[in-house]
Amino acid sequence: IFFVFYFLIIVPQRKRQQQLQAMISALKAGDRIVTSGGIIATVTSVRETSLIVRSADKTMLEISRAAVTGLAEEPK
């Protein structure tokens, strides 16, 4: 039962976490991201532990890299 649980739950979760960490480390200026708070923003500057993003016309925010949950789809 432990092996089934391990392969059905833990392995896929670990794989998603590694993919997210790789995506966060590869972020660069101009990428559109979604934060854990639901903010869609464009990265303007990358720092060691944080990102400077533009969320509206001239609204600049500094967010933690840990707050990024994924890349945003391009607006249609």
Side-chain angles (χ1 to χ4, degrees), residues 49-71:
T49 59
S50 63
L51 302 167
I52 305 296
V53 297
R54 185 180 70 238
S55 63
D57 292 332
K58 294 183 181 181
T59 305
M60 303 296 280
L61 302 169
E62 182 174 7
I63 62 167
S64 169
R65 285 180 178 252
V68 177
T69 59
L71 293 173

Side-chain angles (χ1 to χ4, degrees), residues 4 7 12-13 26 30-32 36 43 50 52 58 68 73 76:
V4 172
F7 285 109
Q13 182 178 358
D31 289 343
R32 288 181 50 83
S36 58
V43 177
S50 63
I52 305 296
K58 294 183 181 181
V68 177
E73 295 180 10
K76 293 181 180 183

Side-chain angles (χ1 to χ4, degrees), residues 5-76:
F5 179 75
Y6 181 79
F7 285 109
L8 290 178
I9 304 295
I10 296 173
V11 171
Q13 182 178 358
R14 187 177 296 167
K15 188 180 220 181
R16 280 191 302 273
Q17 185 66 24
Q18 288 173 346
Q19 290 173 342
L20 179 63
Q21 289 299 325
M23 185 269 306
I24 290 172
S25 66
L27 286 174
K28 60 188 179 308
D31 289 343
R32 288 181 50 83
I33 60 168
V34 177
T35 68
S36 58
I39 297 171
I40 299 173
T42 303
V43 177
T44 59
S45 177
V46 179
R47 295 185 176 174
E48 188 174 325
T49 59
S50 63
L51 302 167
I52 305 296
V53 297
R54 185 180 70 238
S55 63
D57 292 332
K58 294 183 181 181
T59 305
M60 303 296 280
L61 302 169
E62 182 174 7
I63 62 167
S64 169
R65 285 180 178 252
V68 177
T69 59
L71 293 173
E73 295 180 10
E74 293 297 320
K76 293 181 180 183

